Amino acid sequence: MSDTNLVYAYAVLRRTPEAAAAAAHLRGVAGEPIHLVDPAVTSPPLAFAIGHVPPADYDDTPLQAHLHDVDWLESTVRSHHAVVAALVASGAAVLPLRLATVYRDEDTARQALDTRRGYFLSLLDRLTGHVELGVKIYAAPDITPPEADAESAQDPLMGLGVGRAYQVIRRRRQRRNEDAWRTVVQAAARLTETAGTLAVDRVAHTPERGSLAGTAPGTNIGNDAYLVPKDRVTAFRTGILTAAQGVPGLRVEITGPWAPYSFALQPEPHEETAA
C-alpha cells in the first residue's frame, strides 16, 4: 500500500472561473481541500474536481471494507454529493462521477481525462441544462403484492376445520387486494408514460425493499430517475402529481432536482490505480 495520498475524483466539468472559485472553498470526503486539475489538451476547457485522500481509507482493500460500513458509507455519500452540488450551484456544466472514483496520482487522473476527453465532452453536451428528478410510486400499506397475499392465505389452520365462513372471508379479502393491486399497478404504468412525455430520458431503478425502503409507508412499486430540462421542472412536478390525483391506494414522491447521477456513465472506480 502506498504512503502517498490517492486522488479522489468527484466530477468532470467545463472549467470556468466560477467553478474554480467554488472548488477552492470546498472540502471533500476526507475533509481535504478540493481543486481542479486539467488535462494536457485544454481546449475546450475540461477538468476533474479532485481531492487527495489517504490510502489507509481509499486504497482497494480498506475501501472494500468501508463500503460494507453503513455509517461510513452514508457520511461519504453526503460529502461526495455536497461537493458535486456546490459545483452545480456555481453554474458549471457538471458530470458527477460515481462514489469512490480513485486514481493513483494527478498525472494518472490527467491521462484519464485525455483518454476519455471526447466521451466526457459528449456527455456534458447532452446533460447541460438538465437535472435529474426522482419519482417513487407507492401502493398503500394495506395493498400488498398478490404473491405475498397468496402466501399468507396458505394458513395451516385453514386445514384444521376453522370453518367455511373464515375461508370465504379470506378469499374475498384476497380478491379485493388483488383488484386494488391491479388498479395501482395500472395507474403506476400510466404515470410512467406521462413522466416519459415530460422528460428526455428515464432510468428505471430497482424498487426499494426492506431496509432500503426506510420508513416510507406502503410498497415501493416504481423507483425511476428522469432527465428533465431545467425550465421544465415545475411542469414535470405538476404533471406527475396531477396524474396521480384521485387514484385510491397510490402515493407519489418526487425528489430533486439533483445533478444527473443516473445519466452520467462513468469509468469504474480504481480503473486507473495501477502504479
Side-chain angles (χ1 to χ4, degrees), residues 137-146 149 171-190 219 221 246-251:
I137 305 174
Y138 296 89
D142 58 342
I143 301 175
T144 58
D149 191 76
R171 291 192 188 107
R172 287 178 178 174
R173 287 177 177 170
Q174 183 178 344
R175 283 196 296 270
R176 285 198 299 269
N177 177 73
E178 289 173 351
D179 290 343
W181 181 262
R182 189 178 304 109
T183 297
V184 168
V185 168
Q186 290 172 347
R190 292 194 298 271
T219 302
I221 60 176
V247 179
L250 183 74
R251 183 173 67 84

Side-chain angles (χ1 to χ4, degrees), residues 12-14 43-46 92-96 116-131 200 227-230 260 263-265:
V12 181
L13 66 159
R14 296 183 189 277
S43 181
L46 193 67
V94 175
L95 177 64
R116 301 173 68 93
R117 182 178 185 80
Y119 174 75
F120 286 141
L121 286 171
S122 66
L123 277 175
L124 282 168
D125 286 342
R126 177 172 179 261
L127 299 179
T128 296
H130 295 75
V131 294
V200 299
L227 188 64
V228 181
K230 289 180 179 179
F263 304 90
L265 303 178

Side-chain angles (χ1 to χ4, degrees), residues 4-7 52 103-111 272-274:
T4 305
N5 280 346
L6 303 173
V7 169
H52 289 268
Y103 296 93
R104 183 61 56 192
D105 51 38
E106 289 195 10
D107 285 342
T108 309
R110 289 189 178 94
Q111 290 170 13
E272 301 290 348
T273 55

Side-chain angles (χ1 to χ4, degrees), residues 36-152:
L36 305 185
V37 296
D38 306 294
V41 180
T42 58
S43 181
L46 193 67
F48 265 150
I50 69 159
H52 289 268
V53 295
D57 283 322
Y58 290 93
D59 218 340
D60 290 317
T61 299
L63 180 59
Q64 290 305 312
H66 281 317
L67 292 177
H68 292 89
D69 180 338
V70 174
D71 291 336
W72 185 93
L73 190 60
E74 180 178 358
S75 174
T76 302
V77 167
R78 289 182 183 277
S79 297
H80 180 104
H81 175 67
V83 171
V84 173
L87 294 171
V88 171
S90 75
V94 175
L95 177 64
L97 296 175
R98 64 187 296 169
L99 190 73
T101 298
V102 179
Y103 296 93
R104 183 61 56 192
D105 51 38
E106 289 195 10
D107 285 342
T108 309
R110 289 189 178 94
Q111 290 170 13
L113 272 175
D114 280 331
T115 300
R116 301 173 68 93
R117 182 178 185 80
Y119 174 75
F120 286 141
L121 286 171
S122 66
L123 277 175
L124 282 168
D125 286 342
R126 177 172 179 261
L127 299 179
T128 296
H130 295 75
V131 294
E132 178 175 326
L133 292 174
V135 177
K136 294 183 181 181
I137 305 174
Y138 296 89
D142 58 342
I143 301 175
T144 58
E147 295 81 6
D149 191 76
E151 290 174 4
S152 67

